Each structure stands twice: as structure tokens, then as C-alpha cells.
Amino acid sequence: MHMPDVRLHEPGSLKNACDLLRQFSDRARVLAGGTDILVDLRQDRVTGVDQLVSLRRIPGLNDIEETADGLRIGAMVTPTAAARHERIRELFPALVDAIGSMAGWQVRSLATMAGNIARAVPCSDLAPVFVVADAEVQLNAGTSKRRLFVRDCFAGPRLTVFRHDEILTHILLPFPRSSCGLSYRKFGLRGANAIAVAGVAAGLWLNARGMIEEARIVLGAVAPIPCVSPKASAFLAGRKPGDDVFEEAGRLAAQDALPICDVRGSDDYRRDLVKALTVDALNEAVERARKGGN
Ligand SMILES: Cc1cc2nc3c(=O)[nH]c(=O)nc-3n(C[C@H](O)[C@H](O)[C@H](O)COP(=O)(O)OP(=O)(O)OC[C@H]3O[C@@H](n4cnc5c(N)ncnc54)[C@H](O)[C@@H]3O)c2cc1C
């Protein structure tokens, strides 16, 4: 395994970074924390790339800001920094849990959350939580900007819908409603540095009578992209939270999964995991919703 020759660019502005991406086209990639792209280059999983455009020197990408609508997280914010942020801890414990289950502390302190979305691996730990929380990304191509829901970012395994010259500059996390509980559960084969064999994010919104007004179950590592389970989400809406209802939602979520069979687990095993993780995630989500939210 060797590292191919690459030229590192460290532009000081977004515009220059986008210009470089346009200039070198398929030969260039964005470099954020490097925990994926450098491994991909060494392992020849990404070929034909000889230009890396670092985001390190671009101002304004390291901050987490509170806006009128929610939190705005810069592209260079690491999972470790996010998990230590007071407002994220208060408003999004499910994200903090997902970060805690991701890789080991070295990777979490180097990687970026934006890179986790941009890499678009089916087993991402953070994407299911961003989807369940209705997060959006801000994309910037130098002269144009657009916003996309995280759920609409993925086109397939390791494939996003981003244009080649678009940089994900911010993740936008809307404030959760007070009656909402979010949760993330993952199964990996080890305690640390374990890629998800299956992951489930659950979101429950309760009405004043404690009934489920809206629900969302998002599956990770069991389909080509992190995706909502339509059957489980639709089944839960309008029902009273409880063991039987959560069991059935787990069964339906397992039906919606499209797992692969590999060294980490068979497709049947992964379906069983989805069922169990959905029940666990729903129990935690309803507890959080009943306590007033998050
Ligand atoms: C040992 C190890 C264990 C791991 N375990 C886990 C795990 O348990 N769970 C998990 O979810 N992940 C895991 N990962 C994956 C990895 O850490 C994440 O995907 C990471 O968040 C990627 O962020 P990065 O900043 O390092 O991205 P980089 O490696 O810098 O970039 C990744 C890809 O995204 C593109 N990119 C990055 N930032 C942007 C941007 N702002 N705009 C546009 N494109 C961009 C790059 O061009 C590249 O194609 C692990 C990685 C390692 C090495």
C-alpha cells in the first residue's frame, strides 16, 4: 500500500477552493479531516486523483452558531467538538450518542461531521441522526449556493448528489419541537472503531394526550443509503406508544431494510438487529419526548 503523489492546495477562501475543484475536475477532491479520503487513496479505492483541496484555511468553517431556527455547524467541526458543545448536548443527545459510538477518539477528533455526510457510506453513524432530525446542508459552489435536506443528499453507496465543485459549508440542525424525542442505536462487532452492522435512529413527536403525532425511523448500514423506513414510520403515527406497537414497528422496519450479507453479518441477522434496535431506539425516544423533548 502506498500513498499516490498528490498536490495539496490550501486556499484561503471558498471561492478559490471551488475554482480549484472546477479547474482540476475529476482529478481533485475536497480534503477535510482526511480520515476517509487519505485511506481511500492509499487503498486505491479512489483513483485518478492527484489534487487535494483542503478546507483548513477557509475562515468560518470551524464554528457552531445558534441562529433563529437552530444550530449552524461549520464543515470543519469535528465530532468531538460537537459532542462537547453545550447546546448540542442539551438539544441533540441522540447526536452525542451517535458520535460516541463512532470510531475511536482519535478519528472523532480528526474527522468532520460534514465529511461523514459527504462520504455517503451506508454505515455512517451520523447520517441517520441528521436525517431523523430533519437537518439540511448548505452547499456552496463559489458563485451559487443551495440547501438540501440530508435525506436527499445520497445517490448510492459512497455517492452524493453534490456537484463536483460544490462544497458542503454548513450543517443546519433545526431546533427540535418540545414534544419530540430522538434516539440512535447501533450494533457493531466491537466496543470501539467498529463500523455499524446495523444502526437505527428513531424520532417520535407526541401530542398533548401522549399519542404519537408523527414518527420517523431511519435505517443505517442496512440499505445502499441511510433511509427512512416508510412502513414503520407510517404505522407508528396516530398510535399510543407501548411495547406491542414498538415491536410491530421493529418488524416493519426490518421488512423495509435491504441488507447485504458480508463478513460482519448475514442479511437475516441484520434484519433481526434492525428489529431489536428499533424497539430500543423507540423506547428511548418516547422517554425523551415525555421528559419534554429531545
Ligand atoms: C479507523 C476508522 C474508523 C471509522 N469508524 C467509523 C464509524 O464507526 N462510524 C462512521 O460513521 N464513520 C467511521 N469512520 C469514517 C470517517 O471517520 C468518517 O466518515 C469521517 O466523518 C469523514 O470525515 P473527514 O473530515 O475525515 O472526511 P475526508 O476524509 O476529508 O473526506 C471524505 C470525503 O468527503 C469529501 N468531503 C469532505 N468534506 C467535504 C465538504 N465539506 N464538502 C464536500 N465534500 C467533502 C471528500 O472529498 C472525500 O471524498 C471511520 C474511519 C476510520 C479511519
Side-chain angles (χ1 to χ4, degrees), residues 10-89:
E10 296 190 294
S13 72
L14 266 177
K15 184 182 173 308
N16 288 352
C18 296
D19 285 347
L20 285 162
L21 290 173
R22 257 191 304 276
Q23 179 188 341
F24 291 106
S25 186
D26 278 352
R27 288 170 53 203
R29 289 288 185 282
V30 169
L31 174 70
T35 63
D36 274 328
I37 187 68
L38 297 180
V39 178
D40 286 346
L41 286 169
R42 281 180 78 104
Q43 295 184 344
D44 281 339
R45 237 181 348 222
V46 169
T47 54
V49 169
D50 61 2
Q51 313 285 327
L52 288 176
V53 179
S54 168
L55 303 183
R56 201 167 63 96
R57 291 192 194 281
I58 300 175
L61 299 184
N62 277 302
D63 305 328
I64 302 176
E65 295 165 89
E66 190 158 343
T67 68
D69 306 317
L71 300 181
R72 189 167 176 267
I73 302 171
M76 290 303 280
V77 171
T78 65
T80 296
R84 286 185 183 153
H85 191 268
E86 201 182 320
R87 288 295 272 162
I88 289 187
R89 296 186 70 79

Side-chain angles (χ1 to χ4, degrees), residues 29-40 55 75-76 79 101-104 107-108 110-119 121 123-126 139 162 166-169 186 193-196:
R29 289 288 185 282
V30 169
L31 174 70
T35 63
D36 274 328
I37 187 68
L38 297 180
V39 178
D40 286 346
L55 303 183
M76 290 303 280
S101 79
M102 173 190 171
V107 170
R108 292 199 293 266
L110 198 59
T112 64
M113 303 211 290
N116 196 261
I117 296 171
R119 183 73 176 96
V121 287
C123 60
S124 157
D125 282 308
L126 308 187
L139 300 175
F162 305 167
E166 281 183 318
I167 292 174
L168 191 173
T169 59
K186 160 186 182 174
N193 268 326
I195 281 172

Side-chain angles (χ1 to χ4, degrees), residues 127-148:
V129 179
F130 287 130
V131 173
V132 90
D134 251 342
E136 289 177 80
V137 293
Q138 175 91 57
L139 300 175
N140 191 318
T143 47
S144 62
K145 283 184 186 175
R146 62 177 175 142
R147 277 167 71 154
L148 272 183

